Amino acid sequence: QLQLVESGGGVVQPGGSLRLSCTTSGFRLDDYAIGWFRQAPGKQREGVSCISGSDGKTSYADSVQGRYIISTDKAKNTVYLQLNSLKPEDTAVYYCAARFASRGSIYQKTSDYNSWGPGTQVTVSS
């Protein structure tokens, strides 16, 4: 019933931008925290950004601070991740995830989430 599907990935040159979308269904965003994670080849999944669906509080990994922006469009039940100034090291499969959350709560660890989308590939290369 609770579903998340990522889209918007692709191949982009260094310095370029992409906007990833996480379309959700089966739950109300106001009651959940949404996280974006990524997993590069040979590496563990890492947190990128998260947002509270209730009050919009956000957090970012140091590696993407100032370059990525997380946002929501509740009318569309969608969470976005704007990726700017992309670097080759940003190459990964990007996942969105959801968990029930109290107002203002944000979660930054993979283990905090119990619902996941299938991922979308982002490749940054010349």
Side-chain angles (χ1 to χ4, degrees):
Q1 185 177 4
L2 194 160
Q3 295 182 342
L4 306 93
V5 180
E6 305 90 342
S7 63
V11 180
V12 64
Q13 293 184 342
S17 298
L18 288 171
R19 189 180 74 163
L20 307 183
S21 298
C22 175
T23 58
T24 72
S25 62
F27 65 99
R28 186 168 180 264
L29 282 177
D30 280 347
D31 298 326
Y32 282 76
I34 304 296
W36 281 98
F37 297 80
R38 66 186 182 186
Q39 187 165 19
K43 295 186 177 181
Q44 291 188 279
R45 194 168 299 184
E46 63 176 348
V48 175
S49 182
C50 62
I51 188 167
S52 167
S54 61
D55 63 6
K57 288 174 60 178
T58 62
S59 68
Y60 297 91
D62 289 344
S63 59
V64 307
Q65 182 74 241
R67 298 189 297 120
Y68 291 11
I69 303 171
I70 190 170
S71 62
T72 63
D73 184 340
K74 293 181 179 179
K76 296 182 178 180
N77 297 312
T78 299
V79 180
Y80 301 99
L81 186 68
Q82 179 70 40
L83 290 66
N84 298 317
S85 302
L86 284 163
K87 306 173 182 179
E89 52 263 43
D90 294 318
T91 296
V93 177
Y94 283 70
Y95 301 88
C96 63
R99 63 157 287 155
F100 190 84
S102 301
R103 181 178 179 83
S105 298
I106 55 176
Y107 301 87
Q108 298 176 266
K109 295 184 178 297
T110 300
S111 59
D112 290 329
Y113 293 85
N114 49 31
S115 298
W116 293 83
T120 186
Q121 176 71 47
V122 172
T123 301
V124 185
S125 176
S126 298

